[in-house]
Amino acid sequence: MPDQLERRSFATVDELWDWLATHHESHPGLWVVLEKVTSTKQSIGFHDLLEAGIAFGWSESTRRANNETSYLQKFTPRKTRGTASARNTAIADRLEAAGRMTAAGRAALGRK
């Protein structure tokens, strides 16, 4: 693997959100292990990672194979401020309405 980011798996959404609450400002990023639907291991899904990333100002990018039952999703702090697709904007609006957006997530999307 070209970069040496830490590999980490999250069994639950709460575990992911707790990790981001602690590390979103200081961590360079990681490869998140996401289990395939056919896996017997408990894991968050891609959409869980996407939502948490929007809330905390992080972004998912490159996806790579890991093994027969999982793949790796690169997950890092957003580098470009204020850019968001229509999908991500809709998710951010929903998170905002639910009181789940953080100041870091708002700043990353160019919101106040």
Side-chain angles (χ1 to χ4, degrees):
M1 204 163 290
D3 56 61
Q4 297 301 312
L5 292 177
E6 166 189 3
R7 286 185 185 193
R8 184 172 179 98
S9 59
F10 298 96
T12 67
V13 172
D14 288 341
E15 188 180 329
L16 169 62
W17 281 70
D18 289 347
W19 186 91
L20 279 168
T22 301
H23 300 286
H24 74 275
E25 293 180 322
S26 60
H27 204 282
L30 39 81
W31 287 99
V32 177
V33 179
L34 298 175
E35 295 295 327
K36 296 178 182 177
V37 176
T38 57
S39 174
T40 58
K41 294 181 184 176
Q42 186 175 356
S43 170
I44 62 166
F46 175 80
H47 191 73
D48 300 321
L49 190 66
L50 173 65
E51 283 195 354
I54 290 169
F56 284 93
W58 280 47
S59 179
E60 78 298 328
S61 57
T62 308
R63 180 182 291 185
R64 296 206 173 143
N66 187 39
N67 58 35
E68 306 82 38
T69 64
S70 67
Y71 60 93
L72 301 173
Q73 185 70 55
K74 192 172 185 179
F75 192 53
T76 58
R78 278 188 184 270
K79 294 177 179 73
T80 306
R81 301 289 178 218
T83 60
S85 66
R87 173 189 70 172
N88 289 1
T89 299
I91 291 169
D93 290 344
R94 190 168 25 82
L95 290 168
E96 195 72 68
R100 298 201 75 191
M101 279 297 285
T102 67
R106 283 185 208 98
L109 296 175
R111 297 174 169 215
K112 299 221 180 231

